[in-house]
Amino acid sequence: MKALVTGGTGFVGRYLTRRLCSLGWHCRLLVRATSALEGLEELENVEFWQGDLTRPDTLDGIANTADYVFHLAAEGHIAAVGDDA
C-alpha cells in the first residue's frame, strides 16, 4: 500500500508513519523546507515531498500514486493554544 501523509513530521504523523512503514507501506510525506526529519530519514519506504499546503503549485501530482491519504497537517501548533481556548 502507498500512503500520502500530510503533517507526517508532526507528533501524530511521526507515529503513524513509523507504524505504516513497519507494516510494509510506502509513505510519501509532505514536508516543508524547514521540517525536522530526524527519526524519519532512516525509515525504509519513506519519500519526502517538499511543498506547502498554502502553495498549491508545490502539490501538483503529490497524491498520484497514493492508495490512501492521511491529512494530519494543521495551520497552527497545539502549543500555540492558550488556556482561554
Side-chain angles (χ1 to χ4, degrees):
M1 292 293 199
K2 295 181 181 181
L4 165 61
V5 183
T6 68
T9 60
F11 182 77
V12 174
R14 285 176 182 274
Y15 283 98
L16 175 64
T17 299
R18 287 187 189 111
R19 179 67 177 147
L20 292 175
C21 287
S22 75
L23 295 172
W25 287 47
H26 175 89
C27 294
R28 176 178 288 165
L29 276 57
L30 173 62
V31 300
R32 293 175 293 199
T34 58
S35 294
L37 305 179
E38 294 83 15
L40 296 171
E41 294 174 307
E42 71 270 1
L43 294 175
E44 291 188 30
N45 299 324
V46 173
E47 173 189 352
F48 300 102
W49 181 293
Q50 190 169 320
D52 189 317
L53 287 176
T54 65
R55 296 188 45 225
D57 59 302
T58 66
L59 305 175
D60 188 39
I62 191 171
N64 283 354
T65 61
D67 297 306
Y68 294 92
V69 175
F70 297 92
H71 180 49
L72 304 174
E75 178 69 27
H77 189 276
I78 192 68
V81 176
D83 291 332
D84 58 342

